[in-house]
Structure formats: C-alpha cells, structure tokens
Amino acid sequence: MDASLLSSAPADTFNGNAGEQIAPPMQPPGTDMTGICFRDQLWINSYPLDRNYVFDYFALSPFYDITCNNEILRRRSVHPLDHSQLSKMTGLEYVISDATEPNLFVFRKQKRDGPEKVTPMLTYYILDGTIYQAPQLCSVFAARVGRAVYHISNAFSVAASKLETIRQVDAKSQNEPSEAKPASETVDLKEVKRVDLILKSLYSKLPPAPPPPPFPEGYVSQEALGEKEDELGTQGGESQHPQIDPIIDQGPAKRMKF
C-alpha cells in the first residue's frame, strides 16, 4: 500500500465545516489478515520507533481502520493514544496493551461502548519493525486439531497398508504348495578324497600309540574269568544246575517291574 495516500488523507478530511467533511477513502480492513505483514524500512530509518511515533507507523499499514476514534483525535491534533480522550468516545479504537521498546509493541483493536466497557476484537504486534496480525485463539485451536487429526489419519493409513501387505503375504504362502526338502545332500567325491588325504597326512605325522600298561599283580581279567567258568562247566557235566529264567520261574511277586 502506498504510504503517501495515507499521509495526505488526514490533511483534507476536515476543513472546519462539519457538513463539508470528506468521507474517508479507505475501506475497513478485513478480520483475518494473518497471511500478510507490513514493513516500511524508509520510515524506520527516518523516525525512532517508540511510544510517541509507533502509532503513526501502525497507521501506514493495511491493518489500520481509518474509521477508528484514534483517527478522529489525530485530526484534532491530539495524540491518538490519549486514554483520557478515548474513554469519552464510543466506537472502534486502538490501544497499546504491551510494549518493549523498541523491539516489540502490541496493539489491541477494541470496541468501546462506555468509559469502562470495552470489547476486545483483534490483536496486532510490531516485532522489530514488521507489523503482523496475531491469530485468534479459535484459529490456533482449529489449526492444531487439524494438524493432529491429519497425522493420526496418516498413521492409520500406513498401519492399514502394512497389515494388508502382511495379509497378502500370508494368503500367498498358504496357497503355495510346500516344496519337499531333499532327504540328503549330494556328496562331492573330490571333497571326500581331499579330506581323506588330509587325515592320512596328519596320521602319518603323529607318533605311534604307546603300549598299554601291564596289569597289577593279582589282577585277573574278565576274559580269564570267563575261560575258567567255561572249563568248570564242561568238567561238571550234568551236575551243573540249569539256568533259571528270571521272569517265568521266580513267580509274579519276584518279576521285575518296568
């Protein structure tokens, strides 16, 4: 927006006759203007950004409503933020609700219905020379809820696609016939011969096994005992008692339990 149009408008709007007052050429700004911002670097380089001049800088922006009570005070050569004068009027007005000079200024647009009765409407702030409109609380909640719903729905979509893929893989594995595994793997004869050669070469390098140690004096081996029993059995002939079957001849009470 051209700043020269705004600066020249107040000079011609009032000429001393209320009947000949010229209607303001600008239209009131819209309610939602959070998508734009305003900055006039030439003005910032020319004037200090403090409480005395910050309203004049704000009046250059498209956020300024020229039909407000502050504009009427400007035409009367009264400071537009004079609270004692604004409290006597009714209608739209701008006030500074918070300020940290020269970096941050917070303007509140409100409707005054009486000296102590005001209704807040919108909030604007000047941060390092750039003017923004602060979003309304309902818009912030709507944006946060919409973002959360988007991420949740996206997560459900990803989970559903993965479950569908797993379901398709399971159905495909059930429909495919199971392949019979080979009973034994094929043997490579060359590999077997190579292993035999390695074992033979290792065996030839090893020393011969030592002889077993002699039996101690008086020890009788099991083989010698078996031979003696066979000799006694042949000498005794029929006098040797027949062997008793442990299951049949000892009775049910003496049978082994398994």
Side-chain angles (χ1 to χ4, degrees):
M1 182 177 292
D2 192 358
S4 61
L5 295 178
L6 293 174
S7 60
S8 60
D12 299 333
T13 52
F14 187 73
N15 58 2
N17 189 354
E20 297 179 359
Q21 184 176 356
I22 302 174
M26 296 182 58
Q27 298 294 329
T31 303
D32 187 6
M33 301 179 68
T34 55
I36 63 173
C37 62
F38 176 83
R39 182 181 181 88
D40 190 342
Q41 190 62 41
L42 181 61
W43 192 97
I44 295 175
N45 296 335
S46 303
Y47 303 96
L49 200 60
D50 54 14
R51 288 179 177 269
N52 295 326
Y53 292 95
V54 68
F55 189 86
D56 296 333
Y57 180 62
F58 179 76
L60 300 177
S61 68
F63 307 108
Y64 181 66
D65 190 349
I66 200 172
T67 62
C68 63
N69 296 334
N70 308 86
E71 183 65 24
I72 298 176
L73 295 180
R74 293 179 69 189
R75 295 170 188 171
R76 297 175 182 175
S77 300
V78 180
H79 195 280
L81 297 177
D82 190 352
H83 180 71
S84 61
Q85 297 292 331
L86 291 174
S87 60
K88 300 176 182 179
M89 307 170 70
T90 58
L92 299 178
E93 64 182 20
Y94 293 93
V95 295
I96 295 180
S97 59
D98 193 7
T100 304
E101 300 182 17
N103 298 319
L104 178 64
F105 298 89
V106 180
F107 279 85
R108 184 174 66 244
K109 182 181 181 180
Q110 58 190 15
K111 182 180 180 181
R112 180 176 295 276
D113 296 323
E116 300 296 334
K117 186 178 180 181
V118 293
T119 303
M121 298 176 63
L122 296 172
T123 302
Y124 307 90
Y125 61 96
I126 304 176
L127 180 61
D128 294 332
T130 305
I131 307 176
Y132 306 89
Q133 178 182 342
Q136 296 184 0
L137 188 60
C138 60
S139 301
V140 175
F141 277 118
R144 296 293 177 87
V145 171
R147 187 179 303 173
V149 170
Y150 168 77
H151 288 297
I152 292 173
S153 61
N154 191 20
F156 276 112
S157 301
V158 173
S161 62
K162 291 185 178 181
L163 290 175
E164 184 65 24
T165 304
I166 295 172
R167 190 180 300 109
Q168 291 177 359
V169 171
D170 293 341
K172 186 176 180 180
S173 61
Q174 290 178 1
N175 295 331
E176 291 181 354
S178 59
E179 298 180 358
K181 295 183 179 180
S184 61
E185 298 181 355
T186 57
V187 179
D188 191 358
L189 296 178
K190 293 182 179 180
E191 189 70 19
V192 173
K193 291 180 180 180
R194 190 175 69 85
V195 173
D196 290 342
L197 291 174
I198 294 173
L199 293 177
K200 286 181 181 180
S201 62
L202 291 175
Y203 183 74
S204 62
K205 294 179 182 179
L206 294 175
F215 293 108
E217 185 179 357
Y219 177 78
V220 181
S221 62
Q222 295 294 332
E223 297 178 355
L225 289 175
E227 292 177 356
K228 286 184 179 182
E229 289 179 357
D230 292 341
E231 291 177 358
L232 292 175
T234 54
Q235 292 177 2
E238 296 179 355
S239 62
Q240 186 177 4
H241 297 285
Q243 293 182 358
I244 301 174
D245 187 83
I247 298 178
I248 300 175
D249 299 330
Q250 292 183 9
K254 296 182 180 181
R255 293 175 184 173
M256 297 178 64
K257 297 181 180 180
F258 297 97

